[in-house]
Amino acid sequence: MLRIDLMAGCALSLALLAAAPAAAQDLQNRAVAPPVQDAPVPNAPPPAIGDDQVQFSASGLEYDTNADVVTATGEVRMFRQGDRLRADKVVWNRKTGKVVATGNIAVTNPEGDIAYGDEINLTDSLKDGVIDNMLVVLEQGGRLAAKQGTRDLNGTVELRTAAYTPCAVSNSAGCPKEPTWKITAIRVTYRPERQRIYYSGARLHLFGLPSLPLPKFSNPVGGGSDNGLLSPNFNYSRANGLEFALPYYFKLAPNKGLTITPHVYSSVLPMLQAEYSALSTRGAFKIGAYATESRRSDDLSTATLTDTERAFRGYIDGIARYQLSPNWTASGSLRLTTDRTFLRRYDISRDDRLRSTASLERIDDSSYFALTGWVVQTLRVNDQQGMQPIALPELDYRKRFADPLLGGTLQLQLNTLALTRTDGQDTQRAFASAQWDLRKLTRWGQEVTFTALARADAYNTNDTAATLVESYRGLEGFHGRAIGALAVDVKWPFIGSFLSGTQRFTPRVQLVASPKLANQSLPNEDSRAVDLDTSNLFALNRFAGYDRFEDSSRATYGAEWAVDLPGITLDATVGQSYRLDARPSLFADGTGLSDRFSDIVGRTELRFRDFVSLTHRYRLDKDSFAVRRNELDATIGSRASYVLVGYLRLNRDIFPAIEDLQDREELRVGGRVQFARFWSAFGSAVVDLTNKAEDPASLSSGFDPIRHRLGVQYEDDCIRLGATWRRYYNDTGDARKGNSFLLSLALTNLGR
């Protein structure tokens, strides 16, 4: 009954294929199994060197002694030096060496390629011959079909009036179907030793639409690579007009390659892109570059933009990582551009800072060493490049000792950093620290952690007057600081049943004591952005870096509630801190830590199977309960269809000169809908909801789109075709707002 239903389900597909005009290239599967080598005979003697005898088996065998002709019938199998043949009937003329096979023919070579046909004329080596109605199924994937084909002694296959496709020729129900795309050609040559197919007089067929003529070309099969064209890209933007990019790949070695991509525009001069990559047993290296000549805006801070004469513009992007030994690693990155708007103008990147790094690391089970340097190039309109720090170098060493005292863990750290600015303050820093941690479980189930920290700092600062914010400067010259802190952290989890699952309620209290420190006499380079949330609520130092240390005694308290139900998990955390001493706070107003009582912070995460994920972060004013931070990230849907929503509102009322991050309100949405098996639509948008009540310096009206993207894509087993519409709503120099359109096409195994 199952077989009858299956055949009935395929009847329509078969009828459609039968109704189509007869084609010389039959890419459909053949109703015959490929020949399989018989199992080796136990204790059989090995074949002699150079033995090229033909082994065969058949249901029936006739031998004409006068003509010296052997005729094998019924499930004929022939084997010779890795070449295998299966047929219903084989006639072998031993005088001429000619072998004629008919009926359900399948021939397999040592590489695993299988050739099918109605009739085959071979020599007795089984390596060369002529096949009628030929189908070749490649071991690496893909298939070739032709009215007639020949194979020579080297295994090269020559096809006339042929077709090639790597696509499936049957649907999920096993019914035959036309491939998504195929190439037909007057002549096709397959060379197994090069793993490459060559075409003459070729045409490309997509979705059964009228064919597109193609120049004489070739493409690899399988997982290798070779010289050749890659998939082209089409794009349109207001600033550059219509764009056409056609990459060409040069295979320099099995582990090295170079891709050259010319970008041709209708409104501006062409741009050249190059990318070189190399892989070795120790690591990998890749570097890319863009180069062109165009007009650009020099003065981005004025209302009236002025254009320069044509100038060279470009960008370099490189990355490398090498594993020198099991413990030692060297890595680096390079990102550098000629001006601040090049990346946006040519839609390469939307980053507002470029960072180049170099690092040498050593890691083992108890120690860490890193020697690092970096430099930053700003692309922000109002930033001065001379105020950007150059770190050469930062040295960080850490060593951990287990059970040195009362069963705890001791970690020693040495750190040095030198920051240089061409037009700003220079800072050198060094410190040594020791931190001891001891974790114990009491007989009542509490988890108690004891911590002790001691640290000594030394700073040298020059040109402090160049730093505009006074609290960031520090004092000129050499200065030191001694830091000490003690802490005890207690968690007491309670676990019980809840509905059809379990719940866990964990109160937590932390006490920290630290004496008054000489913070203001030292510069602040790495502790400028501070905002209280659940990630740093119970931290020993709630400043992000090393330059500031929280010199107060405080009590921090909070609770965590976790619920685990079938398919549902809920985790909620809330907490607050209280400063036990009356010293003036180091924290600025708006951080949530400026008063003795801190603001209330919390985080809630809800998950329903793999369909819903919801995370909410918030900070409430301790006095008015006004929402100072409200952040929501939600994902709803499956991998095929989903919606992403992100919302952020900051209402910190922080002084503008203290931090770059000012009050703002923003909405981010995105999603994808799969409306057919291979078709999907996608989109995303960012909207600025900030108004002047939230940020007086903001130019937003309360609902200003920043950018959006809409597109549609088709993707199956062997093709990806998409169209995307993007729009940017802001001008930055010569990176103009407006629409851009992108058309992409990628064919499996073509142009790799």
Side-chain angles (χ1 to χ4, degrees), residues 286 316-321 331-336 355-359 373-375:
K286 181 174 72 173
I316 296 177
D317 186 354
I319 187 170
R321 184 175 180 86
S331 61
S333 65
L334 174 65
R335 300 189 70 192
L336 189 65
R355 187 174 183 181
S356 301
T357 65
S359 178
W374 66 87
V375 61

Side-chain angles (χ1 to χ4, degrees), residues 16 202 232 261 321 357 375 431 520 585 597 650-651 692 721:
L16 292 174
T261 307
R321 184 175 180 86
T357 65
V375 61
F431 72 79
Q520 298 296 339
S585 173
F597 277 100
L650 297 178
N651 183 27
K692 291 189 177 298
L721 176 65

Side-chain angles (χ1 to χ4, degrees), residues 667-742:
L667 176 66
R668 306 177 307 277
V669 294
R672 177 181 293 270
V673 177
Q674 184 174 351
F675 56 87
R677 184 181 179 189
F678 300 117
W679 288 94
S680 61
F682 57 89
S684 63
V686 179
V687 182
D688 186 1
L689 303 178
T690 311
N691 55 37
K692 291 189 177 298
E694 295 168 319
D695 183 6
S698 175
L699 300 178
S700 175
S701 64
F703 190 89
D704 281 350
I706 303 299
R707 59 184 177 272
H708 78 248
R709 180 183 66 159
L710 292 173
V712 63
Q713 180 171 287
Y714 175 92
E715 183 173 6
D716 61 16
D717 61 311
C718 66
I719 189 174
R720 185 174 64 253
L721 176 65
T724 304
W725 167 42
R726 289 179 292 188
R727 180 174 178 82
Y728 297 100
Y729 292 84
N730 296 319
D731 287 331
T732 303
D734 62 333
R736 303 296 188 182
K737 63 183 178 182
N739 299 316
S740 65
F741 302 90
L742 174 65

Side-chain angles (χ1 to χ4, degrees), residues 131-144:
I131 305 177
D132 293 331
N133 189 19
M134 185 178 188
L135 171 67
V136 180
V137 179
L138 305 176
E139 171 67 18
Q140 299 84 353
R143 54 186 60 207
L144 291 157

